[in-house]
Amino acid sequence: MADLLQHGLLRPSFVPAPWQREVRELTRYRTSLIEERCRTVNRLQKILEGANIKLASVASDVMGVSARSMLEALLQGEADPSTLAELAHGRMRSKRDLLAQALQGRFTAHHRFLIQEQLAHIDSVDETIAHLSQEIAERLRPFEAQLKRLETIPGIKRRLAEVILAEIGADMRRFPSARHLASWAGMCPGNNESAGKRLSGRTRKGSPWLRTALVEAAHAAIHTKDCYLSAQYHRLVVRRGGKKATIAVGHTLLVIVYHVLAEEKDYKELGGNYFDEWDRQAVQKRLVRRLEKLGYEVTLTPAEPVA
């Protein structure tokens, strides 16, 4: 290998710059804290279930404003379900009857102690996350233009944009193409072939931090209305399943990120009907076959041009 390196026959590895390694440590630590917060909230909900308090069945977020007010009242000794339900705010006030039923439990001193500890831990983690976010924003201030461009991509907001920029950097010249970036990140199908037979196509190991961020962004993008990424997911999920379709959307997101950063342009939405417009005849034939199976006789006539 030393001889190959001497003759320039080895490709250099991607070694991030010092600033990028430092921001990586901050974003990865923040991600770990966010995961810890989620685990703590789940433990809190488990304690409430043990006390037969079904708050999560009515409130979608047990750490929301209304739910947090009710938990604080429980810790202060309030046990009347109707009084607790009156602490609801906003749209939750329309569910006061359901809340009164959900808050009828066996809340003991043991539950009070555990919930108090869990809430204190959540508040401490929230404070640390806020400090980290402030420091990350300060470190990435020179790359504000790149962050704003990444935020134009469906499913990617400021936190995920910071994670992606910390993992791959802002200079895309180190990757010859978007395919090289996807291969480096482990977000493309694997190439396992032996004796002319293609074996498993599982994605190879890449950056777990980048992969997690792309999958999270993909989950958000597929729920966006009239979006190309959502249309791609619904096109693939029928044949490939939910997990593979989500990874495919994550791969597409990474390709979009590459072009947005390399070409210094905002994301341009193709629309949710992109695949229908891409192959109109195939869509037409498929819909005609479905109508004929239902017993209809279909006659196609060209549409009149719009004046």
Side-chain angles (χ1 to χ4, degrees):
M1 291 184 64
D3 187 51
L4 292 174
L5 178 62
Q6 185 178 2
H7 290 82
L9 298 177
L10 291 181
R11 292 182 180 178
S13 300
F14 171 31
V15 180
W19 71 266
Q20 186 177 347
R21 295 198 296 268
E22 293 174 356
V23 175
R24 271 186 181 182
E25 291 182 357
L26 293 174
T27 56
R28 292 177 179 182
Y29 182 37
R30 182 178 62 179
T31 301
S32 299
L33 288 178
I34 292 174
E35 293 173 353
E36 172 61 24
R37 186 185 187 276
C38 292
R39 288 192 292 267
T40 306
V41 172
N42 290 335
R43 285 193 290 266
L44 173 64
Q45 184 174 338
K46 183 179 180 181
I47 295 169
L48 291 174
E49 292 288 336
N52 200 34
I53 295 178
K54 307 295 183 180
L55 183 59
S57 63
V58 182
S60 59
D61 183 9
V62 294
M63 292 304 300
V65 176
S66 299
R68 186 63 186 263
S69 299
M70 298 173 195
L71 291 177
E72 294 292 346
L74 279 171
L75 294 179
Q76 293 173 7
E78 181 61 57
D80 182 38
S82 300
T83 304
L84 292 171
E86 288 296 330
L87 297 174
H89 299 272
R91 290 181 296 179
M92 284 289 291
R93 293 192 63 81
S94 62
K95 302 179 180 179
R96 283 173 291 179
D97 294 338
L98 294 175
L99 286 170
Q101 297 176 15
L103 292 168
Q104 294 178 1
R106 301 181 300 274
F107 197 75
T108 65
H110 172 71
H111 298 123
R112 183 177 294 109
F113 172 78
L114 286 176
I115 289 179
Q116 194 169 12
E117 292 297 318
Q118 300 293 349
L119 289 177
H121 182 49
I122 291 172
D123 292 339
S124 175
V125 172
D126 284 339
E127 184 178 356
T128 305
I129 291 174
H131 289 165
L132 284 172
S133 297
Q134 184 178 359
E135 180 65 21
I136 292 170
E138 187 64 29
R139 300 282 186 96
L140 292 179
R141 190 180 298 276
F143 306 97
E144 186 66 24
Q146 289 86 342
L147 290 172
K148 287 184 177 180
R149 290 193 183 98
L150 291 178
E151 288 184 80
T152 63
I153 304 173
I156 297 180
K157 298 302 180 184
R158 176 53 61 117
R159 180 177 61 83
L160 292 180
E162 291 171 347
V163 173
I164 292 172
L165 196 64
E167 293 298 327
I168 68 176
D171 185 7
M172 293 295 100
R173 290 177 296 179
R174 59 172 60 96
F175 301 107
S177 67
R179 293 184 176 182
H180 287 80
L181 174 59
S183 177
W184 173 83
M187 290 296 293
C188 60
N191 186 18
N192 186 6
E193 185 175 334
S194 179
K197 180 183 292 186
R198 183 174 178 81
L199 304 177
S200 173
R202 294 179 58 184
T203 56
R204 68 178 187 85
K205 294 181 179 179
S207 170
W209 307 95
L210 179 58
R211 186 188 187 94
T212 301
L214 291 172
V215 170
E216 184 178 347
H219 279 295
I222 62 182
H223 292 95
T224 304
K225 294 182 179 179
D226 195 23
C227 173
Y228 166 81
L229 296 169
S230 177
Q232 181 193 21
Y233 173 81
H234 291 293
R235 182 169 177 259
L236 295 175
V237 68
V238 179
R239 296 181 286 112
R240 298 293 185 180
K243 292 183 178 180
K244 290 184 178 179
T246 302
I247 292 296
V249 174
H251 170 266
T252 303
L253 278 169
L254 187 58
V255 172
I256 294 172
V257 167
Y258 175 87
H259 289 289
V260 164
L261 294 178
E263 300 173 11
E264 299 182 354
K265 295 181 180 179
D266 292 347
Y267 170 75
K268 183 179 179 181
E269 179 58 58
L270 298 177
N273 64 336
Y274 172 80
F275 293 104
D276 292 342
E277 296 291 340
W278 179 53
D279 196 350
R280 295 173 63 93
Q281 291 185 352
V283 175
Q284 176 182 300
K285 291 179 181 178
R286 182 173 68 252
L287 295 177
V288 167
R289 285 197 300 267
R290 292 182 63 181
L291 289 172
E292 289 176 345
K293 287 182 180 180
L294 294 175
Y296 292 93
E297 183 177 349
V298 181
T299 303
L300 299 178
T301 58
E304 297 181 359
V306 179

